[in-house]
Amino acid sequence: MLHITDCFVMGIILFFVPASMVGQTETRHPDKEIADSLIVDTVVVLAKDSVIRSSDTLAVLSMLSDSVVKNSKPIKLTYSKPDPKRALWLALVLPGAGQIYNRKYWKLPIIYGGFVGCTYALLWNQQMYKDYSQAYLDIMDDDPGTASYKNMLPYGYDITGREEQFKPIFKRKKDFYRKNRDMSIFAFFGVYLLSVIDAYVDAQLATFDITPDLSMKVEPTVIEQNVSFRRSGAVGVQCSLNF
């Protein structure tokens, strides 16, 4: 590669060289011919010097690149395998932490969605159980001032004089919502337990080797039999499973 200074000098010299060589029919002076030859020799020397410097620069760059390649160490991408015990304890302390540790982030919406659904069902059934329990207590006593059960009836529906018929209905409603409340609590702990089991099993299966050679081979075979102390053979089919 030519340096900027060399290019500038060569451009000036080459700009004046043609002017000294114009007109081949004119009589050339000996001194002028000597000057022209000196100019041409100078241009050649400068060009050779630039080529030498550029070749030296390329050689140095080549040596540097070879040194970098030889001294550089290969980069190894390592994947840390999750520890099942650590995943278990993280999931026990905080639901979803085991899935984060196992890098299974897509399971978090499922787990927390289950918690939200169970919590909503628990609160809803608890409130309905509380209302029907109070209505059942009011319809069972003889105090006309306690009539909260009327709020549980459709608008404009009157059961005056038929309270005895509705007492078992309110009792069934109370028991129904109490059962649903208890089931919601069990479902909440069930989601929690499933999240813990999933984190532990997922960490265990992270080191499980699944071989691609999973095939079934069916081929004919000869089956040997011992009948009455005599050996006999029979043709059959053999099935082998590779895994």
Side-chain angles (χ1 to χ4, degrees):
M1 180 179 291
L2 297 178
H3 293 278
I4 298 176
T5 306
D6 298 337
C7 294
F8 181 73
V9 173
M10 290 176 64
I12 295 175
I13 295 173
L14 292 175
F15 179 79
F16 289 101
V17 168
S20 63
M21 297 181 179
V22 175
Q24 297 180 357
T25 56
E26 65 178 356
T27 304
R28 300 184 62 85
H29 195 275
D31 296 336
K32 190 175 182 180
E33 291 180 356
I34 294 173
D36 292 340
S37 63
L38 288 175
I39 291 173
V40 172
D41 293 339
T42 303
V43 172
V44 172
V45 169
L46 288 175
K48 288 183 178 179
D49 183 62
S50 298
V51 170
I52 292 173
R53 284 201 297 268
S54 63
S55 62
D56 293 340
T57 303
L58 292 175
V60 172
L61 291 176
S62 178
M63 292 173 63
L64 289 176
S65 62
D66 293 339
S67 176
V68 170
V69 171
K70 291 180 180 179
N71 296 328
S72 61
K73 297 181 179 179
I75 300 175
K76 296 182 179 180
L77 299 177
T78 59
Y79 173 75
S80 59
K81 297 180 181 179
D83 185 11
K85 293 183 178 180
R86 180 174 294 182
L88 176 64
W89 283 109
L90 287 174
L92 286 172
V93 174
L94 179 63
Q99 282 71 25
I100 297 176
Y101 174 71
N102 294 333
R103 298 182 181 87
K104 298 300 177 63
Y105 307 104
W106 62 271
K107 295 182 180 180
L108 294 178
I110 300 175
I111 295 174
Y112 284 103
F115 283 125
V116 171
C118 292
T119 303
Y120 177 79
L122 173 62
L123 297 177
W124 167 261
N125 288 287
Q126 173 62 23
Q127 184 62 40
M128 295 300 294
Y129 168 71
K130 182 180 178 180
D131 294 340
Y132 274 102
S133 295
Q134 186 62 42
Y136 178 70
L137 292 175
D138 292 345
I139 201 173
M140 289 297 292
D141 61 21
D142 296 331
D143 187 2
T146 57
S148 62
Y149 60 90
K150 294 181 179 180
N151 298 328
M152 310 303 295
L153 299 173
Y155 179 76
Y157 192 80
D158 188 14
I159 61 171
T160 303
R162 297 181 297 164
E163 288 83 2
E164 294 295 331
Q165 298 178 5
F166 282 86
K167 286 181 181 180
I169 296 176
F170 279 99
K171 185 178 185 303
R172 287 196 300 269
K173 286 289 186 179
K174 176 179 68 70
D175 296 338
F176 173 77
Y177 286 109
R178 182 183 62 183
K179 179 181 178 181
N180 288 345
R181 180 202 62 183
D182 297 341
M183 292 298 296
S184 301
I185 296 174
F186 284 114
F188 186 90
F189 284 103
V191 173
Y192 172 75
L193 184 61
L194 285 176
S195 66
V196 174
I197 295 175
D198 174 77
Y200 179 77
V201 174
D202 198 4
Q204 286 282 5
L205 294 179
T207 58
F208 184 74
D209 185 16
I210 301 177
T211 176
D213 187 12
L214 181 61
S215 60
M216 184 177 66
K217 186 177 182 181
V218 180
E219 58 185 358
T221 185
V222 177
I223 303 175
E224 295 184 356
Q225 296 179 348
N226 292 327
V227 180
S228 299
F229 302 100
R230 290 188 306 174
R231 301 183 63 181
S232 62
V235 180
V237 179
Q238 179 181 5
C239 178
S240 59
L241 181 63
N242 296 325
F243 60 91

